[in-house]
Amino acid sequence: MSDTIEKIKCLIIGSGPAGYTAAIYAARADMKPVMYTGMQMGGQLTTTTEVDNFPGYAEGTDGTAMMEDLKKQAERFGTEVRFGLVTKVDLSEEVGGVHKIIVDESKEIEAETVIISTGATAKYLGLESEQRLIGGGVSACATCDGFFYKGQDVVVVGAGDTAAEEATYLANICNKVTMLVRKDFMRASKAMQHRVNKTENIEVLYNTEIDEVIGDNVVEGVRAINNQTKETTDISVTGVFIAIGHKPNSDLFKGVLDMDETGYLITKGKSTKTNLPGVFAAGDIQDKEYRQAVTAAGTGCMAALDAERYLGALE
């Protein structure tokens, strides 16, 4: 452990759109925020090649470039951005209490307020070919990337409500959507199943999984395998959307902060307040409904304002 304990007003954990927006607002409020980026600086958006739906980028932008823009903006107002991983927390239950944080298992910090923006990680199948083509036709967000496949054929992998929603969303844009369902039934609600079945350009293949994503630099198709007959079929598509869920990056806060059964942090009402005073949650760590960069940024703004008001009430 370090010999000296650093004392700061506002600690931001995580560096996606929520974290950087919180930093911009906190810095402008003279809270002198310190951000620890986590191991993926910029968050999930750095795995996206093109961002076309974030306000202010008329011609679209690259995900990594956008995060760099947000970082520079946060630093312009005085945010100290540090590369590092928070490894332990001891959060106070007292109003005005000090939150103790350990970074990289060695550095000790005491923070008056903490903004958690650690996000959620999309679940993937784990295939080498899939991982290689993330950003080259493999995506985990139809709302983010569906536009680029207008008039084309795509595959959606998954059987729940999210997969059904992504398939029906893509069906309005794409020529054909093929859903690959691992079992002989869908887990989606009956209402969502009816929507899928009534959509003419959606085909559902049951007992079917991806054996390989075909393509060198971009997706050219998938090799699907029937897990009952072991028969393989090549399907020509340009996009593969994996819709098997997300895992919120909240393990650090288990048993400390209130969360739902899947690990998303629970915030109070329309605020970003957690169950502990001075601790706030923003972005995908507390949002399993929208999961968009712009909504994450909005909650980042809210968290900084909530933190500023919390400190103001202590004076």
Side-chain angles (χ1 to χ4, degrees):
M1 291 293 177
S2 56
D3 294 330
T4 57
I5 298 174
E6 184 179 13
K7 299 178 188 297
I8 61 176
K9 259 189 179 180
C10 180
L11 173 70
I12 300 171
I13 306 174
S15 56
Y20 282 132
T21 306
I24 290 166
Y25 275 80
R28 285 171 59 87
D30 201 27
M31 294 166 65
K32 299 177 174 56
V34 172
M35 170 189 284
Y36 277 94
T37 63
M39 301 313 291
Q40 188 177 29
M41 185 181 287
Q44 277 193 94
L45 221 59
T46 57
T47 65
T48 303
T49 50
E50 294 179 78
V51 179
D52 246 7
N53 56 3
F54 196 90
Y57 291 92
E59 302 302 319
T61 185
D62 172 85
T64 301
M66 186 178 125
M67 288 301 96
E68 188 59 31
D69 285 344
L70 284 174
K71 177 175 177 285
K72 287 177 182 175
Q73 189 175 2
E75 289 177 325
R76 179 161 70 92
F77 294 116
T79 302
E80 188 173 341
V81 178
R82 302 172 180 172
F83 183 76
L85 184 68
V86 172
T87 51
K88 187 177 179 181
V89 297
D90 181 8
L91 303 178
S92 174
E93 297 181 4
E94 304 296 326
V95 174
V98 172
H99 305 292
K100 299 176 182 179
I101 310 293
I102 304 296
V103 179
D104 295 329
E105 299 182 350
S106 58
K107 183 175 178 56
E108 296 181 70
I109 290 174
E110 290 185 351
E112 295 177 50
T113 60
V114 177
I115 296 174
I116 301 164
S117 55
T118 49
T121 303
K123 294 179 182 177
Y124 285 94
L125 302 172
L127 300 171
E128 183 280 326
S129 54
E130 167 207 50
Q131 295 297 303
R132 178 168 47 81
L133 289 168
I134 290 174
V138 174
S139 169
C141 180
T143 314
C144 310
D145 301 327
F147 175 81
F148 302 114
Y149 301 91
K150 189 173 183 179
Q152 301 173 45
D153 293 350
V154 299
V155 154
V156 172
V157 180
D161 277 349
T162 299
E165 287 170 8
E166 301 239 314
T168 52
Y169 173 84
L170 290 165
N172 292 321
I173 303 170
C174 301
N175 176 58
K176 182 182 179 182
V177 178
T178 304
M179 284 189 75
L180 305 185
V181 176
R182 189 164 53 92
K183 297 185 177 179
D184 60 359
F185 63 92
M186 290 181 66
R187 292 185 292 103
S189 64
K190 292 298 181 185
M192 288 306 304
Q193 290 187 51
H194 290 322
R195 279 180 61 184
V196 167
N197 293 331
K198 286 195 298 184
T199 306
E200 290 184 0
N201 60 335
I202 296 179
E203 180 183 7
V204 183
L205 300 180
Y206 293 98
N207 296 315
T208 304
E209 304 175 48
I210 289 183
D211 189 50
E212 184 181 1
V213 181
I214 301 168
D216 293 326
N217 300 311
V218 295
V219 171
E220 297 173 8
V222 299
R223 179 161 299 120
I225 183 168
N226 183 298
N227 54 34
Q228 300 297 305
T229 65
K230 305 304 178 185
E231 181 182 354
T232 60
T233 308
D234 286 358
I235 305 172
S236 180
V237 293
T238 51
V240 178
F241 292 86
I242 310 298
I244 57 176
H246 287 72
K247 182 186 184 301
N249 301 320
S250 61
D251 288 352
L252 191 63
F253 309 103
K254 282 183 177 174
V256 180
L257 295 177
D258 289 347
M259 54 184 72
D260 69 11
E261 66 281 357
T262 52
Y264 287 91
L265 297 186
I266 296 171
T267 51
K268 297 180 180 179
K270 293 183 179 180
S271 77
T272 61
K273 299 173 185 176
T274 67
N275 57 298
L276 294 184
V279 181
F280 309 91
D284 287 9
I285 190 67
Q286 54 84 57
D287 172 24
K288 58 183 177 183
E289 296 297 329
Y290 301 104
R291 293 197 294 263
Q292 299 298 300
V294 68
T295 51
T299 58
C301 162
M302 291 165 60
L305 293 175
D306 285 341
E308 180 188 3
R309 290 166 185 165
Y310 169 80
L311 290 175
L314 296 176
E315 294 176 358

